[in-house]
């Protein structure tokens, strides 16, 4: 058994409200960004990617499981997260 010591003293923090997931047979890419912003052009919005994480599919699956567990714990503590913005505004 190995004891893992985590050093996050040099880790940068980026706040994200949007993530784009894409990839290939060899890798899964996560592009993190802030909010989608309007532009001067009609029906055109801009998404500035702040951080890209590239993972192998095994690491991506472990991340998906960990995120699912974290969201479940959050909802058990604070209540269901409604993803439909219109329904959130009605509540």
């Amino acid at each position: 058994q190995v004891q893992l010591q985590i050093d996050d003293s040099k880790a940068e923090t980026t706040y994200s409200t949007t993530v784009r997931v894409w990839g290939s047979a060899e890798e899964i890419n996560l592009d993190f960004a802030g909010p989608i912003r309007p532009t001067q052009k009609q029906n055109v919005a801009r998404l500035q990617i702040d951080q890209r994480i590239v993972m192998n599919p095994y690491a991506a699956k472990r991340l998906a499981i960990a995120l699912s567990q974290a969201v479940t714990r959050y909802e058990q503590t604070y209540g269901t997260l409604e993803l439909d913005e219109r329904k959130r505004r009605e509540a």
Side-chain angles (χ1 to χ4, degrees), residues 41-52:
K41 299 177 185 174
Q42 186 176 10
N43 297 326
V44 177
R46 179 173 175 82
L47 186 64
Q48 176 65 48
I49 303 300
D50 299 313
Q51 189 80 20
R52 176 171 290 152

Side-chain angles (χ1 to χ4, degrees), residues 11-22:
E12 293 183 30
T13 300
T14 302
Y15 182 78
S16 177
T17 60
T18 308
V19 63
R20 177 176 69 161
V21 180
W22 57 284

Side-chain angles (χ1 to χ4, degrees), residues 70-83 88:
V71 170
T72 297
R73 283 191 305 269
Y74 181 94
E75 289 184 322
Q76 288 171 344
T77 303
Y78 301 105
T80 302
L81 293 166
E82 177 58 61
L83 295 179
R88 286 196 312 254

Side-chain angles (χ1 to χ4, degrees), residues 3-72:
Q3 182 182 18
L4 181 62
Q5 295 180 341
I6 298 174
D7 179 4
D8 63 357
S9 62
K10 295 182 182 176
E12 293 183 30
T13 300
T14 302
Y15 182 78
S16 177
T17 60
T18 308
V19 63
R20 177 176 69 161
V21 180
W22 57 284
S24 67
E26 294 83 24
E27 61 190 26
I28 306 292
N29 301 286
L30 307 172
D31 287 343
F32 293 94
I36 297 172
R37 304 201 184 274
T39 65
Q40 300 291 332
K41 299 177 185 174
Q42 186 176 10
N43 297 326
V44 177
R46 179 173 175 82
L47 186 64
Q48 176 65 48
I49 303 300
D50 299 313
Q51 189 80 20
R52 176 171 290 152
I53 305 296
V54 181
M55 308 174 85
N56 66 51
Y58 298 99
K61 185 170 183 175
R62 289 189 298 269
L63 174 63
I65 291 167
L67 287 172
S68 177
Q69 292 170 346
V71 170
T72 297

